[in-house]
Amino acid sequence: MNVNTKLDLQEVSQIMKLLGDKTRLTMMKMLQSQDFCVCEFVELFNMSQPAISQHLRKLKDIGLVKESRKRQWVFYSFNRDHDCAFLVEDLLKHLPDQKERLAQLEAQGLRISCD
Amino acid sequence: MNVNTKLDLQEVSQIMKLLGDKTRLTMMKMLQSQDFCVCEFVELFNMSQPAISQHLRKLKDIGLVKESRKRQWVFYSFNRDHDCAFLVEDLLKHLPDQKERLAQLEAQGLRISCD
DNA sequence: TTAGTATATAATGATGCACTTATATAAGTA
DNA sequence: TACTTATATAAGTGCATCATTATATACTAA
């Protein structure tokens, strides 16, 4: 056994359920490397803005992401303080990075930067 | 980045969806340390036999478990040949072992051994 | 203030999922 | 053979989930 602190099975299964959706799993993979605002996700996923907001809401409700408003945008970030953050990060490491998606955003001039 | 071979995101999300159910997640945790037959699971989870069979069917369909008939029983085992086996195993390591469940089975004299 | 942009919430509909009960199949035993 | 035990499959039901459209809220800029 190489892990000492054990997580709650119920909580882990809830997180797995959230990551069982392709859109949310992709979002988390992207958020692992940088923050994104809602409108960027709306451009990247072929889906309505409310659908995106609802996915982010679920991730936020369970604590996997944090939100912060910057000017007119709401940015979401990976919450590394979550109990299960390391578990989720390990899992995401096995997934292909989503560089093409980011490149696509930039190509369309839709990347939002807020400095 | 500490992982070289990347898994298919679609496939991983399907597996996460399956593990998003508490019963199946517990089953996988238990199967990580030893094989179980259907009737043992039926005793341990407060659930009908068809419900248990259906959960095991889903795990089998996606390839996470294998089945083998031994005399009148069907035993299920963790399939370590699956693409995502190492990912799933890593994940399960974070969960509390289910020793009490096994102890409960043995206390009731319901543990099946097939040698 | 008014208009425009970004996001969230509400209501709704279609589909999926996890159980149930009833029944079928398969193996073991008398 | 008939009976029992173990498991799988089928059909049905209630509830959850994921999308949609419509609308509300929040912020920015003119």
Side-chain angles (χ1 to χ4, degrees):
Chain A
M1 189 70 63
N2 60 3
V3 177
N4 299 312
T5 51
K6 298 299 179 184
L7 301 171
D8 178 57
L9 195 138
Q10 169 79 37
E11 185 180 26
V12 172
S13 81
Q14 283 172 190
I15 286 175
M16 294 302 106
K17 184 172 288 179
L18 286 191
L19 300 183
D21 179 274
K22 204 182 160 186
T23 302
R24 287 190 297 259
L25 185 61
T26 307
M27 285 173 161
M28 289 306 294
K29 177 67 188 180
M30 297 181 71
L31 289 171
Q32 196 180 20
S33 46
Q34 56 197 295
D35 298 356
F36 287 91
C37 77
V38 181
C39 62
E40 292 173 313
F41 282 136
V42 172
E43 288 302 322
L44 288 178
F45 296 97
N46 193 22
M47 205 175 286
S48 69
Q49 173 269 317
I52 297 295
S53 273
Q54 285 157 13
H55 281 306
L56 289 166
R57 177 79 139 79
K58 289 181 186 186
L59 293 172
K60 195 186 108 186
D61 282 349
I62 212 168
L64 285 179
V65 303
K66 290 184 291 193
E67 74 173 36
S68 61
R69 191 171 267 280
K70 288 179 190 165
R71 296 173 48 203
Q72 69 264 51
W73 300 289
V74 176
F75 280 78
Y76 283 85
S77 59
F78 195 106
N79 178 19
R80 293 190 163 78
D81 294 330
H82 193 286
D83 279 353
C84 300
F86 65 106
L87 181 151
V88 173
E89 286 225 80
D90 281 352
L91 197 154
L92 294 173
K93 279 176 190 151
H94 296 297
L95 299 177
D97 63 45
Q98 301 295 309
K99 272 205 284 277
E100 342 68 56
R101 289 186 186 267
L102 186 56
Q104 181 189 330
L105 256 191
E106 282 165 351
Q108 295 175 276
L110 295 169
R111 182 79 177 117
I112 308 252
S113 66
C114 222
D115 306 315
Chain B
M1 190 70 65
N2 60 2
V3 178
N4 299 312
T5 51
K6 297 301 180 184
L7 300 171
D8 178 57
L9 195 139
Q10 169 78 38
E11 186 180 25
V12 172
S13 80
Q14 283 171 190
I15 286 175
M16 294 302 104
K17 183 172 290 179
L18 285 191
L19 300 183
D21 179 273
K22 204 182 161 186
T23 302
R24 286 190 297 259
L25 186 61
T26 306
M27 285 174 162
M28 290 305 296
K29 177 67 187 181
M30 297 181 72
L31 290 172
Q32 196 181 20
S33 46
Q34 56 199 295
D35 298 355
F36 287 92
C37 77
V38 181
C39 62
E40 291 173 313
F41 282 136
V42 172
E43 288 302 323
L44 287 178
F45 297 96
N46 194 22
M47 204 174 287
S48 68
Q49 173 269 317
I52 297 295
S53 274
Q54 284 156 13
H55 282 305
L56 289 166
R57 177 77 140 79
K58 290 184 183 188
L59 293 172
K60 195 186 108 186
D61 282 349
I62 212 169
L64 284 180
V65 304
K66 291 184 290 193
E67 73 175 36
S68 62
R69 192 173 267 279
K70 286 178 192 165
R71 298 174 45 204
Q72 68 265 51
W73 301 289
V74 176
F75 280 78
Y76 283 84
S77 58
F78 195 106
N79 178 18
R80 294 192 162 78
D81 294 330
H82 193 287
D83 280 353
C84 301
F86 65 106
L87 180 153
V88 174
E89 287 224 80
D90 281 352
L91 197 154
L92 294 173
K93 280 175 191 151
H94 297 296
L95 299 177
D97 63 46
Q98 301 296 308
K99 274 204 281 278
E100 343 67 56
R101 290 186 185 267
L102 186 56
Q104 183 188 329
L105 255 191
E106 282 165 350
Q108 295 176 275
L110 294 170
R111 183 80 176 113
I112 308 251
S113 66
C114 221
D115 306 314

